[in-house]
Amino acid sequence: SQQGEEDPQALSIQEGENATMNCSYKTSINNLQWYRQNSGRGLVHLILIRSNEREKHSGRLRVTLDTSKKSSSLLITASRAADTASYFCATDSGAGSYQLTFGKGTKLSVIP
Amino acid sequence: DAGITQSPRHKVTETGTPVTLRCHQTENHRYMYWYRQDPGHGLRLIHYSYGVKDTDKGEVSDGYSVSRSKTEDFLLTLESATSSQTSVYFCAISEPVRGETQYFGPGTRLLVL
């Protein structure tokens, strides 16, 4: 079963606007990761946040984690057309096998 | 996708035939994973390997087998392909001592008729 569930399923914004995607999960985690997938390509890692962290930044990305609500959000600021992609959250439960459980993704369209 | 290749990239086969997909890495990462990606399901783990000849099942392993005889190669076999195995298959690698990030290959698009 899916651990992470992204919301919304699809998001369309104008270039320059901020994009926020949310992820909810069901069980305790060791870390939560966000990945991006351009159409027809493999996934690319964006950022990892550990269970004892609340916020993390990387360039135009900001990730928050609320373990009490079992949720995370990914904020992309000042979006660009090149940010058009699907974004997935993935959770590592820390069971020792480094398995990730992926959500179904948010499809982001940035309109120039 | 650097350091990870998948072959073939596209394949069309018929129901009941065996199919083997290959993942090759040049990064010397210990862990390798096979996922399938289907609309509405995201990525689901099929099998993974934590070393040469060390493999384990994932969430959707029925109908699939894997082998890893060398660090760099991880093979996924569909013993008798079914239409429900039409999907895009991704290989990923990770090396936990360097971090928990997984690195993905470009994918194999498989169509079972």
Side-chain angles (χ1 to χ4, degrees), chain B residues 57-71:
Chain B
K57 296 178 180 180
E59 179 189 354
V60 291
S61 60
D62 287 350
Y64 301 94
S65 63
V66 290
S67 66
R68 190 168 178 201
S69 59
K70 298 185 288 185
T71 298

Side-chain angles (χ1 to χ4, degrees), chain A residues 1-2 30-31 33 35 37 40-45 48 50 88 92 96-104, chain B residues 1 9 31 33 35 37 40-45 48 57-59 90 94 96 100-102 104-106 109:
Chain A
S1 61
Q2 300 297 132
N30 184 44
N31 67 67
Q33 304 179 35
Y35 287 78
Q37 183 181 33
R41 306 291 296 273
L43 278 72
V44 175
H45 180 260
L48 179 153
R50 301 194 181 281
F88 295 87
D92 178 354
S97 58
Y98 304 101
Q99 292 183 55
L100 293 179
T101 304
F102 285 82
K104 297 177 184 179
Chain B
D1 301 349
R9 293 292 314 279
Y31 280 72
Y33 309 82
Y35 294 91
Q37 184 175 34
H41 289 279
L43 273 80
R44 293 179 291 174
L45 181 66
Y48 68 97
K57 296 178 180 180
E59 179 189 354
F90 287 98
S94 73
E100 296 95 327
T101 299
Q102 291 190 12
F104 284 78
R109 192 171 294 271

